[in-house]
Structure formats: structure tokens, C-alpha cells
Amino acid sequence: MTQTQKSHREVLEQFVAERPSDAFARYGLALECAKMGDDQAAAENFQRLLEANPGYVAGYFQFGQFLARVGRVEEARKLLSDGILVAQNAGDMHARDEMQASLASLR
């Protein structure tokens, strides 16, 4: 199979396998799994992303959105609350505000 014949997910999986500490690749893989409806793989990749990169602000927002979408609302609330603090500490007020709005919509 050539590179062009591989799916986007396969390319990301290969990249993550070669560079497991690359936060952006793991984030992309989690988003791709979520887009494809592979909820278990998406959740696992988001979880691994945040365990290895607890300061990766975008991961909190997208994982929180994902959890809310799949009905795991309590987990989404906790994650978004954590993400708000991480974003605040990182000085990312835009992300903080997005997560606050998302959290408010879950109440």
C-alpha cells in the first residue's frame, strides 16, 4: 500500500507509533477516530494525549466536546473545568472562554 492509498487515520497511527510523545499527532488521531465514529479509540487517544501532555489546551476542549456528544456529560464537565484552569494558566483566554461556554451549555 502506498502512502496515498493509506487512510488519514492509518497515516496518523503510523506517525503516533513512530513519535508517541508528539502531542499534535496524538490529537489529530483522536479527532480522526471521533470523526469516524470509533468512540473507544477516540477516548483512548484523548486520554493518552492529556496524560502525556497535561498542558495541551486544545485537547481538553475537544475531549470535553467529544464526551458530551457521546453522553458522558459528567466526565465532560470535569474535563472542561480542568481545561479552563489549564487554559487560564497558559494565558489562552480564547480557549478558556470557549470551554466556559461549553461547560455552561452542559448545566
Side-chain angles (χ1 to χ4, degrees):
M1 184 181 290
T2 67
Q3 194 72 10
T4 56
Q5 292 173 312
K6 285 186 177 182
S7 72
H8 193 221
R9 179 175 174 171
E10 288 171 319
V11 171
L12 288 165
E13 286 172 339
Q14 180 179 348
F15 197 88
V16 167
E18 292 168 1
R19 298 169 194 82
S21 63
D22 187 300
F24 188 70
R26 177 77 65 187
Y27 175 72
L29 178 57
L31 291 175
E32 185 67 15
C33 291
K35 185 174 90 176
M36 295 176 71
D38 189 344
D39 294 347
Q40 182 176 344
E44 287 172 10
N45 279 292
F46 276 125
Q47 191 68 46
R48 289 165 114 185
L49 167 70
L50 294 178
E51 285 170 1
N53 304 279
Y56 199 81
V57 175
Y60 290 90
F61 180 63
Q62 290 297 330
F63 193 16
Q65 296 280 78
F66 167 79
L67 289 171
R69 223 174 21 256
V70 298
R72 294 165 61 180
V73 178
E74 287 305 313
E75 290 172 85
R77 285 187 186 122
K78 167 90 172 82
L79 200 79
L80 289 167
S81 295
D82 292 348
I84 289 166
L85 294 174
V86 171
Q88 179 90 33
N89 290 338
D92 190 340
M93 298 311 134
H94 178 74
R96 180 204 63 193
D97 293 347
E98 282 187 320
M99 284 188 270
Q100 286 175 332
S102 186
L103 181 60
S105 74
L106 296 177
R107 296 217 159 128

